[in-house]
Amino acid sequence: MKAQTTPDTDAPDTGAPGAGVTDPIMQVRGLGHSYGERQVLKDLDFEVGRGELMCVVGPSGVGKTTLLECLTGLRRPSEGQVLFDGKRIEAPPRGLAIVFQDYSRSLMPWLSVLDNVVLPLRSAGMAKAEREATAREALAEVGLSDFTGSYPWQLSGGMQQRVAIARALAYRPAVVVMDEPFASVDAQTRADLEDLLLRVREHLGITVLLVTHDIDEAVYLSDRVLALGGKPAGIRQLLTVDLPGPREQVTTKALPRFAELRSQVYRLIRHV
Amino acid sequence: MNRTLKVASLVAREVWLPVLLVAAWWWLSAGSTSLYWPALSEITDRFVDLWFFDHLLEDALPSVVRLVTGFGIGFAAAVVLGLVLGSVPALEDATRPLVEFMRALPSVALLPIMMLLLGTDDDMKVVTIAFVSTWPILLNTVEGVRSVDPVLHQVAAGYRLSTWHRIRYVVVPAALPQVFAGARVALSMSVVAMVLTEMVGSPGGLGYFVLDSQRTFDIVAMWTGLIVLGLIGYAANKAFGLVEARVLAWHRGYTKQKEDQR
Ligand SMILES: Nc1ncnc2c1ncn2[C@@H]1O[C@H](COP(=O)(O)OP(=O)(O)O)[C@@H](O)[C@H]1O
Ligand SMILES: [Mg+2]
């Protein structure tokens, strides 16, 4: 399935609520969050289109995880609201799956790889045979068919994160939200995982919202990049990545346009 | 062949010292005329007489049944209560002093009140064993439940796990290593409580047997009773270790792997 977004132009001020997409699956309205006295996020307005891959990029500590928690319903924002499929999010909705940053902590060490992927499907009320088949299919999708019986901690970091991705895919979500999913693996594994993500997203037609501090990664993966910056953090720019698809690690990153976009994002989030 | 050798070497490693000590005992006590330190050969002769199978069925078996029942009740109560207290911090904070107090009470000190309330029969014995085994397990369970990684709670919330599945697949397995550590302590305390309750309670059981033999100056029989007690304590620990190794198979590999990474 093809990403069908109608992004707005490169207008620098995309804070306006009207800056929408034709078929939004997530709508963020006047979102702000404070921890006690300290305001971390302020006045965020944006929409994520169905089938889109959007990266949220910003330096460490800017509030990316906070934003993600507010978007998924894991945290109640102190201001504004988030709509998922038109409905206000109070708790994590069924159509949304999360891949956490720290794979070694987000998988249950007492469950096998297969059981980790199966667990959410149990609570979703899927029959035993079906949930196992679904989990195996998702594990095959990420290339882990041979490791279903292993414990996650017996696998390498990259493989563990693939288990976490398989768990998200098996859940059959409309949107996958990922918090710096590839931040703690080596460069080669990271490139492999990025391409894996692009492939399954193409294959399954899911919407992806990925948080990262890595500008290259954001530009390489995205249909649009949302640049966060400032204290409290706001949207610096919502920028359309007009790179041709399908993306490829070497050729895409060698394009002059890639370099342009990358320095544009860099300036946006650096400039305070 | 290889396997047999391996098992043999494991057994050898476990028993070489006991065998050595028993041999020394045998040799040193041979021909002893002391009333209190009879020859080991005399003890073993009586041992076979007494324990195969009259006293095994009349005393040892009821003791073990009380031990297992009391410990089982204490374990179950502690885990259930621990899950509740561990999940509700306010409740835990409020009850902690009380639990610490109960934990600190020596089982001997409980005997008078237990006998007052429950008499001297099985009820008193089992309840006392259950009581003393509850507290160490409870404290550890609470600790285990509280130490569940917050990321796992986020995973559970994000994937909308039902309450039952959260308990069954997240909280309980995460707390289990701690629960078992508490249970190991509780098991030793249960054995002590078993012996004590039998010494003060109605006739029957190993504790009673040992005390009664001593009172009637049948010192040889008393020694056989002590040996049986030791063997039962040892077997209980072994059995516990086997269950633990099975239930926490993942944990051993997991911690070993964590250590290797360092
Ligand atoms: N639970 C919390 N309580 C208080 N402050 C927090 C909490 N979580 C994050 N913060 C603070 O909010 C800011 C943004 O954090 P975070 O959202 O984790 O940033 P990022 O994911 O972009 O690195 C940081 O300064 C952090 O210290
Ligand atoms: Mg973060």
Side-chain angles (χ1 to χ4, degrees):
Chain A
M1 211 183 282
K2 193 79 189 79
Q4 35 171 287
T5 50
T6 318
D8 42 51
T9 48
D10 276 7
D13 69 321
T14 26
V21 293
T22 45
D23 184 14
I25 187 156
M26 295 184 85
Q27 295 159 286
V28 179
R29 304 238 186 279
L31 188 76
H33 191 74
S34 308
Y35 291 110
E37 292 289 280
R38 176 136 164 268
Q39 187 160 32
V40 176
L41 298 173
K42 190 168 185 283
D43 291 338
L44 274 76
D45 279 280
F46 64 95
E47 296 184 342
V48 184
R50 206 175 288 275
E52 182 176 20
L53 197 162
M54 182 190 280
C55 284
V56 175
V57 64
S60 285
V62 78
K64 302 184 296 296
T65 298
T66 306
L67 172 61
L68 178 145
E69 288 174 355
C70 293
L71 292 181
T72 52
L74 286 173
R75 187 182 291 285
R76 180 183 290 272
S78 26
E79 291 148 43
Q81 52 178 304
V82 178
L83 306 182
F84 183 85
D85 247 343
K87 284 189 287 290
R88 184 172 179 169
I89 285 187
E90 303 282 349
R94 174 62 185 88
L96 192 146
I98 309 169
V99 175
F100 294 86
Q101 172 171 0
D102 196 344
Y103 49 79
S104 67
R105 290 170 64 199
S106 85
L107 297 169
M108 322 281 158
W110 45 85
L111 294 181
S112 69
V113 164
L114 183 69
D115 287 338
N116 264 286
V117 178
V118 159
L119 182 56
L121 309 179
R122 283 181 202 276
S123 288
M126 207 184 264
K128 185 176 161 64
E130 192 191 350
R131 65 185 183 235
E132 290 219 342
T134 308
R136 283 183 195 281
E137 198 182 312
L139 284 163
E141 186 84 49
V142 301
L144 286 179
S145 289
D146 292 341
F147 298 92
T148 52
S150 305
Y151 285 114
W153 41 267
Q154 293 173 318
L155 309 180
S156 70
M159 287 159 94
Q160 290 181 46
Q161 197 57 300
R162 282 194 275 160
V163 176
I165 293 170
R167 175 170 65 185
L169 297 178
Y171 197 54
R172 304 244 170 96
V175 180
V176 175
V177 180
M178 308 172 112
D179 189 4
E180 307 204 30
F182 314 136
S184 31
V185 295
D186 62 84
Q188 181 57 50
T189 307
R190 173 182 204 132
D192 292 346
L193 288 170
E194 286 169 3
D195 290 337
L196 171 85
L197 177 66
L198 289 175
R199 190 169 53 69
V200 298
R201 173 255 179 158
E202 191 77 13
H203 185 189
L204 303 173
I206 41 178
T207 307
V208 178
L209 189 74
L210 186 145
V211 162
T212 178
H213 65 257
D214 184 321
I215 297 167
D216 279 35
E217 178 168 276
V219 173
Y220 177 66
L221 293 174
S222 297
D223 297 322
R224 287 193 299 163
V225 172
L226 188 144
L228 278 186
K231 262 185 203 317
I235 298 178
R236 278 296 155 80
Q237 192 169 14
L238 190 50
L239 158 114
T240 302
V241 177
D242 46 5
L243 292 171
R247 311 276 165 91
E248 203 276 327
Q249 291 284 353
V250 178
T251 52
T252 302
K253 288 181 177 174
L255 293 172
R257 183 63 184 146
F258 183 87
E260 276 170 39
L261 288 164
R262 177 176 171 238
S263 39
Q264 193 179 347
V265 176
Y266 186 75
R267 277 193 303 272
L268 282 168
I269 60 178
R270 271 292 300 278
H271 184 257
V272 182
Chain B
M1 181 60 210
N2 210 349
R3 207 184 137 72
T4 331
L5 262 176
K6 217 169 151 187
V7 171
S9 96
L10 273 177
V11 172
R13 216 178 302 172
E14 176 104 9
V15 301
W16 71 268
L17 187 57
V19 166
L20 209 67
L21 290 174
V22 168
W25 184 3
W26 188 280
W27 181 68
L28 288 170
S29 68
S32 163
T33 51
S34 156
L35 178 63
Y36 303 128
W37 304 99
L40 182 54
S41 55
E42 204 182 328
I43 297 175
T44 51
D45 287 348
R46 278 299 294 288
F47 189 94
V48 175
D49 255 17
L50 288 169
W51 295 99
F52 296 101
F53 289 93
D54 293 354
H55 287 282
L56 196 65
L57 297 178
E58 282 161 27
D59 291 313
L61 189 64
S63 283
V64 170
V65 169
R66 283 189 286 266
L67 177 70
V68 170
T69 314
F71 179 75
I73 294 172
F75 186 94
V79 169
V80 172
L81 205 57
L83 285 172
V84 175
L85 293 184
S87 315
V88 189
L91 206 57
E92 208 275 312
D93 291 340
T95 52
R96 177 161 279 270
L98 184 68
V99 176
E100 296 275 11
F101 177 81
M102 296 295 193
R103 161 85 172 84
L105 278 182
S107 47
V108 209
L110 291 167
L111 294 174
I113 180 75
M114 288 291 181
M115 286 163 76
L116 213 56
L117 293 173
L118 298 163
T120 57
D121 288 338
D122 274 1
D123 284 357
M124 179 276 288
K125 296 172 186 171
V126 170
V127 169
T128 307
I129 295 169
F131 188 90
V132 300
S133 54
T134 299
W135 311 108
I137 304 177
L138 176 59
L139 283 166
N140 271 41
T141 307
V142 168
E143 192 111 329
V145 171
R146 283 189 138 187
S147 66
V148 178
D149 194 320
V151 174
L152 291 183
H153 282 304
Q154 282 195 324
V155 170
Y159 285 100
R160 301 161 62 95
L161 296 195
S162 65
T163 307
W164 165 240
H165 286 161
R166 274 182 214 213
I167 296 171
R168 166 74 181 76
Y169 293 106
V170 183
V171 177
V172 168
L176 223 44
Q178 296 249 49
V179 173
F180 269 90
R184 196 171 266 284
V185 173
L187 186 62
S188 329
M189 293 169 68
S190 300
V191 175
V192 173
M194 172 192 89
V195 175
L196 284 172
T197 52
E198 290 170 352
M199 285 183 165
V200 301
S202 56
L206 289 164
Y208 175 79
F209 178 88
V210 170
L211 190 63
D212 190 53
S213 306
Q214 184 259 351
R215 279 191 192 129
T216 54
F217 289 98
D218 191 349
I219 303 303
V220 177
M222 182 196 83
W223 277 104
T224 67
L226 286 178
I227 291 172
V228 173
L229 268 175
L231 289 175
I232 284 178
Y234 178 79
N237 261 317
K238 273 281 155 192
F240 184 87
L242 286 177
V243 173
E244 185 180 34
R246 240 193 116 76
V247 175
L248 295 183
W250 69 269
H251 191 245
R252 207 190 292 180
Y254 178 70
T255 42
K256 185 170 179 317
Q257 208 255 356
K258 287 265 125 109
E259 277 161 20
D260 291 351
Q261 275 174 358
R262 268 175 222 135

